[in-house]
Amino acid sequence: MKRTAFFISDGTGITAETLGQSLLAQFETISFNKLTRPYIDTPDKARAIVQQINAAADSDGARPIIFDTLVNQEIREILAESNGFMIDIFSSFLAPLEHELLSRSSYSVGKSHSIAHNTNYAQRIEAVNFALDNDDGARTHYYDKADIILIGVSRSGKTPTCLYMAMQFGIRAANYPLTEEDMECLQLPAVLKKQKHKLFGLTIDPDRLSAIRNERKPDSNYSSFGQCDFEVREVERLFKRENIHFINSTHFSVEEISAKILVEMGIERKLT
């Protein structure tokens, strides 16, 4: 079964997209064509979106699902004339919150992603720069400033995880690759021993690692299953010997990997 889902907002669309995606993920037997439409802030733009919704309804033979965070009532009324099933994310949650907090919501566009109302914005930008500067063992002399240091074999997911934690939570994350050359007598490098309390390991299934590496260096020893299997076994032995927390990244998204790391390491998300 295929259905179309629209994430519509008069702001960036990030809130509608994030919450809508989380809800749709619970319906694993349905294939969704997901369309984000941000900055729908005029009646003309709303009428154009209605045409897209109705076209999708005709194509699918079913009503598109509409997740919206629109605060302009006139625009919502235009969208309500479409052949879509509308879910107003804000009203679903704001009404009971207003009741509990005994206060009216401002119903302002873009509050959750505004620089003026997000005091850790600069901190997140700085954390992203830190992750980029300290990627792949590039600058180990800054490890004393890191909140966490991810270690693991090449292509096990260290870099995207570091960048996600930086962008989402302002976590200063570095990463250090344990390379093919390290494997014969694998020990923690001296620079990592000094920061052992910050280390967290990523591992991965050898067959998945081989597939990823083959995309980068096909038909090489680096990407062979035998080499991948050897490296993963050696690195997991190192993690266990040094009592380093680690997880297998094979079947988890970067969001799930990051959440598990922060929980196991006791690091608070910086959401101010």
Side-chain angles (χ1 to χ4, degrees):
M1 181 184 297
K2 178 193 170 189
R3 297 287 290 268
T4 299
F6 285 87
F7 309 111
I8 301 175
S9 174
D10 36 18
T12 63
I14 294 173
T15 300
E17 194 175 58
T18 300
L19 289 174
Q21 295 255 41
S22 296
L23 292 170
L24 294 180
Q26 308 306 313
F27 299 90
E28 298 177 358
T29 61
I30 301 175
S31 175
F32 290 99
N33 179 30
K34 301 170 185 176
L35 304 172
T36 302
R37 298 293 183 262
Y39 300 112
I40 306 304
D41 51 10
T42 68
D44 285 344
K45 290 181 181 178
R47 282 187 278 269
I49 292 297
V50 167
Q51 293 180 357
Q52 295 181 32
I53 294 168
N54 291 347
D58 292 341
S59 175
D60 295 347
R63 290 192 296 175
I65 310 301
I66 303 170
F67 296 95
D68 80 85
T69 52
L70 298 164
V71 297
N72 184 301
Q73 189 57 34
E74 179 186 2
I75 293 175
R76 291 206 82 253
E77 288 173 358
I78 293 172
L79 284 181
E81 297 173 0
S82 72
N83 296 328
F85 175 71
M86 292 184 69
I87 300 174
D88 180 356
I89 291 175
F90 275 173
S91 69
S92 299
F93 297 105
L94 285 177
L97 269 176
E98 287 175 338
H99 179 75
E100 175 63 25
L101 298 174
L102 303 178
S103 177
R104 290 286 297 169
S105 163
S106 63
Y107 283 84
S108 298
V109 179
K111 283 285 188 181
S112 60
H113 306 289
S114 166
I115 294 176
H117 292 85
N118 194 334
T119 58
N120 81 337
Y121 182 79
Q123 185 178 26
R124 287 188 284 125
I125 295 300
E126 193 278 333
V128 169
N129 289 331
F130 182 88
L132 292 171
D133 286 343
N134 293 275
D135 182 46
D136 228 20
R139 298 189 181 184
T140 58
H141 53 283
Y142 290 125
Y143 280 4
D144 60 318
K145 295 180 172 62
D147 295 313
I148 190 167
I149 303 167
L150 300 187
I151 61 173
V153 299
S154 170
R155 316 307 287 181
S156 58
K158 301 183 299 300
T159 296
T161 303
C162 284
L163 287 172
Y164 179 83
M165 288 192 291
M167 287 189 289
Q168 195 72 11
F169 305 124
I171 302 296
R172 294 162 66 97
N175 76 77
Y176 188 97
L178 298 168
T179 66
E180 185 177 352
E181 290 74 24
D182 296 328
M183 295 302 157
E184 293 302 330
C185 185
L186 191 57
Q187 302 287 335
L188 272 184
V191 68
L192 295 182
K193 287 183 179 179
K194 293 187 292 185
Q195 305 291 339
K196 188 175 176 181
H197 60 291
K198 298 180 181 179
L199 300 183
F200 193 97
L202 289 186
T203 186
I204 185 172
D205 290 352
D207 54 347
R208 175 61 181 152
L209 180 61
S210 178
I212 293 171
R213 288 184 174 184
N214 260 300
E215 294 177 3
R216 188 180 186 191
K217 293 184 179 180
D219 303 319
S220 63
N221 182 64
Y222 167 78
S223 61
S224 69
F225 175 82
Q227 180 64 31
C228 293
D229 184 56
F230 170 66
E231 290 184 27
V232 168
R233 280 189 286 107
E234 289 301 302
V235 165
E236 289 184 357
R237 282 177 56 195
L238 173 69
F239 293 158
K240 292 172 183 176
R241 185 170 71 241
E242 298 288 345
N243 293 315
I244 295 169
H245 290 289
F246 70 95
I247 60 172
N248 186 313
S249 65
T250 307
H251 302 294
F252 297 116
S253 67
V254 68
E255 295 89 346
E256 292 172 309
I257 294 168
S258 299
K260 289 174 181 292
I261 289 172
L262 297 183
V263 168
E264 290 206 31
M265 296 296 282
I267 298 174
E268 289 292 333
R269 308 180 186 203
K270 300 169 184 178
L271 298 174
T272 305

